[in-house]
Structure formats: structure tokens, C-alpha cells
Amino acid sequence: MANPEQAEWDPNSWILADVVDQLQWLRFALSGKGAKKPKAYRRPGVEDENETTFGGSHMELDAMKDWLGW
């Protein structure tokens, strides 16, 4: 499996995420004007272009201590 995060999801988890999405869309459809369009429940391996992430690489302990001024 290419994405280790997907290993944590069994078929029931995928189905439950689909149920959550459908319920959110139903609530959206019944809420009338002015409601915000729901976002899909985050699935493993799917990137969210609006999500802010930091880092992406590790730092050696000594370099981190220097960066922090310790």
C-alpha cells in the first residue's frame, strides 16, 4: 500500500465517511439559502489544497537546539 494512512482505514471506515458526507449534503439541501456547501470528510491519501501544512522534513536535534537558541 502506497499510503500508510490508508492502512488504518478498514472498509467500514470508508463506508462511514460516505455516510457522513451524505448526511452533510442532506442537511445542506434542507437548510435553504445561505448555507455553506459542505466539505467532504477527509479520506487518507487525498490532499486538501486549502489545508496549511508546515515542515515536511526533519531537523537534527542539535540543529533544532541551535534554531531554538537553547
Side-chain angles (χ1 to χ4, degrees), residues 31-46:
S31 63
K33 293 184 178 181
K36 292 173 99 179
K37 181 178 166 185
K39 290 184 177 181
Y41 190 82
R42 188 180 175 282
R43 270 98 169 148
V46 177

Side-chain angles (χ1 to χ4, degrees), residues 59-70:
M59 182 184 289
E60 298 295 327
L61 185 58
D62 292 333
M64 183 176 64
K65 286 180 181 178
D66 289 340
W67 184 74
L68 292 171
W70 292 358

Side-chain angles (χ1 to χ4, degrees), residues 1-64:
M1 190 165 281
N3 186 345
E5 205 176 300
Q6 286 181 333
E8 298 174 11
W9 279 55
D10 63 357
N12 291 330
S13 298
W14 286 94
I15 293 169
L16 186 57
D18 288 338
V19 169
V20 167
D21 287 345
Q22 293 300 318
L23 289 173
Q24 288 179 340
W25 275 101
L26 179 60
R27 184 182 64 187
F28 171 72
L30 296 175
S31 63
K33 293 184 178 181
K36 292 173 99 179
K37 181 178 166 185
K39 290 184 177 181
Y41 190 82
R42 188 180 175 282
R43 270 98 169 148
V46 177
E47 296 291 326
D48 182 4
E49 62 274 354
N50 296 325
E51 184 176 307
T52 304
T53 58
F54 299 95
S57 63
H58 72 281
M59 182 184 289
E60 298 295 327
L61 185 58
D62 292 333
M64 183 176 64

